[in-house]
Amino acid sequence: MDNRPIGIFDSGLGGLTAVREMEHLLPHEDLIYFGDTGRVPYGTKGNDTIVRYARQIARFLRGADVKTVLIACNTVSTVAYDEVCEEAAVPVFGVVEPTVSTTIKQSCTGEILVIGTSATVRSRAYEKAIHALYPEAHVQSKACPLFVPLVENDHFGEADPVALLVAHEYLDEYVGKVDTVILGCTHYPILSSAISAVFGQTVTLINSGKEMAILAAKKLAEAKLLSARKEAGKEKFYVSDYTDNFTQLAETLLEHSLAGHVEKTNIEEY
Ligand code: DGL
């Protein structure tokens, strides 16, 4: 048993897709979330910058005495996984392995589309991981850099016309050509109604944050690292800039109040 909190991070709101899953899977765990609201987006930045940010956040979470770190960010998982492991000094989970494992089980035709940030697509991490297990798969990749700012600026409602327009612009060329789409950015499940509207119901969307949360919950249970607590776990959210916008959008996404649980921290000190 280990009553220490679980650390989860992303560049902004996207990692809350993993938090939402953890709340359901492990309701007795304390969670510490860090959203780098002052420096989002990561996916359009160079690898050196992404690595530097990732190291700082891992050091911040280590200082918070977390028992494990969930990288709820595809960009960091594909560009700076090893560096996060180095700094965190506790077990670290990334999104690629669990997402690929579920994708391979789901895809009937092997026609797979990976959508993600420019950095994630540039890393080719998903193609490599899929082909290592499923060499016949035909993997296409598409960077969708406008999706993250859409989410961070509250364009994710059911029938948001801007989100729908952008989704069509990026994805129309793949309609009818793939049976499985990896949402290779944790922000993208928040836009799944627009993405589904483009592809229709016959295409399976794989939620990378959710897949990581499922794997992490299983592994923590196997390693006997879950808390002994019987009451609901506590949550604390840290951001690197201005908290109001984050708080309001996070409450919409998590469907509960965050009053008094969001704090700003100076991540450059780490
Ligand atoms: N949500 C993150 C990801 O999964 C980062 C997006 C960004 O900041 O560009 O890649």
Side-chain angles (χ1 to χ4, degrees):
M1 295 296 164
D2 189 334
N3 283 350
R4 290 178 298 165
I6 294 172
I8 306 180
F9 76 92
D10 180 40
S11 61
L13 292 163
L16 298 177
T17 54
V19 170
R20 198 163 50 191
E21 280 313 306
M22 290 305 270
E23 287 176 349
H24 290 132
L25 293 166
L26 300 176
H28 305 297
E29 295 297 321
D30 284 354
L31 304 179
I32 292 188
Y33 183 80
F34 178 80
D36 204 351
T37 51
R39 307 188 293 195
V40 64
Y42 282 8
T44 49
K45 296 189 167 70
N47 288 7
D48 290 353
T49 304
I50 296 164
V51 167
R52 183 167 69 82
Y53 292 174
R55 280 190 187 278
Q56 286 177 323
I57 299 166
R59 288 196 285 263
F60 167 74
L61 290 174
R62 185 175 178 171
D65 196 25
V66 297
K67 63 184 167 191
T68 185
V69 170
L70 273 60
I71 310 178
C73 175
N74 287 257
T75 307
V76 172
S77 294
T78 56
V79 172
Y81 178 82
D82 291 343
E83 289 83 353
V84 172
C85 293
E86 232 174 84
E87 299 289 353
V90 288
V92 173
F93 294 91
V95 286
V96 178
E97 184 206 328
T99 302
V100 166
S101 146
T102 300
T103 302
I104 285 170
K105 286 181 206 134
Q106 288 284 333
S107 176
C108 298
T109 63
E111 292 291 340
I112 298 164
L113 174 65
V114 181
I115 58 174
T117 66
S118 304
T120 296
V121 168
R122 190 173 65 225
S123 76
R124 303 183 55 81
Y126 273 107
E127 282 100 315
K128 288 178 205 155
I130 293 168
H131 282 139
L133 297 171
Y134 186 179
E136 306 81 32
H138 178 224
V139 185
Q140 301 181 74
S141 301
K142 177 78 176 176
C144 305
L146 289 175
F147 279 173
V148 169
L150 280 175
V151 170
E152 294 288 330
N153 291 286
D154 198 9
H155 279 285
F156 54 76
E158 266 289 301
D160 188 280
V162 186
L164 196 58
L165 181 76
V166 176
H168 276 294
E169 176 69 20
Y170 283 139
L171 304 173
D172 274 353
E173 62 180 300
Y174 302 100
V175 174
K177 297 183 182 142
V178 296
D179 80 337
T180 309
V181 178
I182 293 181
L183 304 179
C185 171
T186 51
H187 281 74
Y188 296 2
I190 301 167
L191 295 173
S192 56
S193 54
I195 298 168
S196 292
V198 173
F199 284 109
Q201 296 306 318
T202 54
V203 167
T204 307
L205 305 183
I206 309 286
N207 175 338
S208 52
K210 177 177 174 179
E211 297 306 328
M212 175 184 60
I214 293 169
L215 179 71
K218 181 168 167 269
K219 295 281 186 193
L220 290 173
E222 282 170 6
K224 304 207 180 326
L225 284 174
L226 296 179
S227 88
R229 209 175 293 109
K230 295 277 180 282
E231 68 279 12
K234 293 189 275 309
E235 295 183 340
K236 185 82 201 186
F237 296 82
Y238 292 91
V239 291
S240 52
D241 200 359
Y242 182 65
T243 58
D244 291 5
N245 189 42
F246 174 88
T247 306
Q248 183 220 321
L249 296 178
E251 286 178 341
T252 307
L253 293 169
L254 295 176
E255 297 174 9
H256 61 73
S257 167
L258 266 61
H261 297 285
V262 185
E263 204 176 294
K264 188 176 153 184
T265 189
N266 183 1
I267 198 66
E268 292 289 3
E269 280 177 359
Y270 288 87

